């Protein structure tokens, strides 16, 4: 399965540099892409995630988490939007920016697996959520 993550960063967030966020996103995308490279799921050839990270210029969302999930049956593609609020970085002060990013991605991808399962079930496919979550755990943790 092809796994793609693209990010839009809305400027500077408190105590977080844009370069740091770009590097974290690129690393995460690389691990996930390689983790899903030779894995197949019936009904899905591609998982595309648009990650929106709010900052001081653009505020993309009111709350952090999953904004949208679509299944495009003829392309066998799941398309999703994840969003991180600017104030998210101020939470859990004991964690580093990297740990906060990993925590967000891990929990969001686990939540996404539930939504993917529902979308595929509605289209007559079985989705192996446990297999998906295991790969997520191996790639993100």
């Amino acid at each position: 399965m092809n796994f793609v993550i693209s990010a839009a960063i809305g400027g500077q967030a408190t105590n977080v540099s844009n370069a740091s966020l770009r590097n974290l996103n690129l690393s995460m995308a690389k691990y996930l892409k390689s983790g899903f490279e030779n894995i197949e799921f019936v009904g899905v050839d591609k998982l595309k995630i648009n990650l929106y990270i709010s900052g001081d210029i653009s505020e993309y969302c009111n709350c952090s988490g999953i904004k949208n999930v679509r299944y495009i049956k003829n392309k066998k593609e799941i398309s999703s939007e994840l969003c991180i609020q600017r104030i998210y970085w101020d939470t859990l002060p004991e964690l580093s920016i990297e740990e906060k990013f990993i925590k967000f991605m891990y929990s969001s991808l686990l939540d996404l697996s539930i939504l993917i399962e529902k979308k595929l079930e509605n289209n007559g496919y079985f989705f192996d959520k446990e297999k998906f979550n295991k790969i997520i755990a191996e790639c993100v943790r």
Side-chain angles (χ1 to χ4, degrees), residues 102-135:
I102 290 169
K103 180 179 173 25
F104 171 81
M105 291 301 293
Y106 182 69
S107 64
S108 295
L109 291 170
L110 292 181
D111 291 343
L112 182 60
S113 73
I114 295 166
L115 299 172
I116 291 171
E117 181 180 47
K118 289 178 184 176
K119 294 279 184 189
L120 290 177
E121 276 182 3
N122 290 341
N123 284 278
Y125 297 111
F126 168 77
F127 179 66
D128 192 345
K129 186 174 62 175
E130 287 74 27
K131 178 179 169 181
F132 182 88
N133 290 344
K134 182 179 177 192
I135 296 166

Side-chain angles (χ1 to χ4, degrees), residues 53-140:
I53 303 172
S54 296
D56 61 352
I57 297 172
S58 297
E59 194 75 38
Y60 296 109
C61 56
N62 296 332
C63 62
S64 295
I66 300 170
K67 286 178 55 176
N68 188 16
V69 179
R70 292 183 0 186
Y71 178 59
I72 305 160
K73 191 172 184 171
N74 63 338
K75 290 184 174 183
K76 294 185 177 181
E77 176 180 304
I78 296 286
S79 177
S80 181
E81 296 176 355
L82 304 180
C83 190
I84 301 176
Q85 260 184 304
R86 185 170 32 144
I87 62 170
Y88 172 76
W89 306 109
D90 298 331
T91 63
L92 303 168
E94 68 279 4
L95 297 180
S96 69
I97 297 304
E98 181 179 78
E99 291 169 323
K100 289 177 188 181
F101 184 77
I102 290 169
K103 180 179 173 25
F104 171 81
M105 291 301 293
Y106 182 69
S107 64
S108 295
L109 291 170
L110 292 181
D111 291 343
L112 182 60
S113 73
I114 295 166
L115 299 172
I116 291 171
E117 181 180 47
K118 289 178 184 176
K119 294 279 184 189
L120 290 177
E121 276 182 3
N122 290 341
N123 284 278
Y125 297 111
F126 168 77
F127 179 66
D128 192 345
K129 186 174 62 175
E130 287 74 27
K131 178 179 169 181
F132 182 88
N133 290 344
K134 182 179 177 192
I135 296 166
I136 294 298
E138 291 170 359
C139 293
V140 177

Side-chain angles (χ1 to χ4, degrees), residues 3-54:
F3 200 110
V4 178
I5 298 178
S6 60
I9 301 173
Q12 194 73 28
T14 310
N15 299 323
V16 183
S17 74
N18 289 352
S20 174
L21 291 175
R22 278 189 200 94
N23 288 338
L24 288 170
N25 181 61
L26 289 172
S27 294
M28 180 69 64
K30 179 181 161 185
Y31 289 126
L32 289 167
K33 186 173 184 72
S34 68
F36 282 93
E37 194 168 41
N38 295 316
I39 306 298
E40 292 184 23
F41 291 94
V42 177
V44 181
D45 291 336
K46 183 177 186 180
L47 176 57
K48 181 180 173 188
I49 295 176
N50 293 318
L51 175 63
Y52 297 100
I53 303 172
S54 296

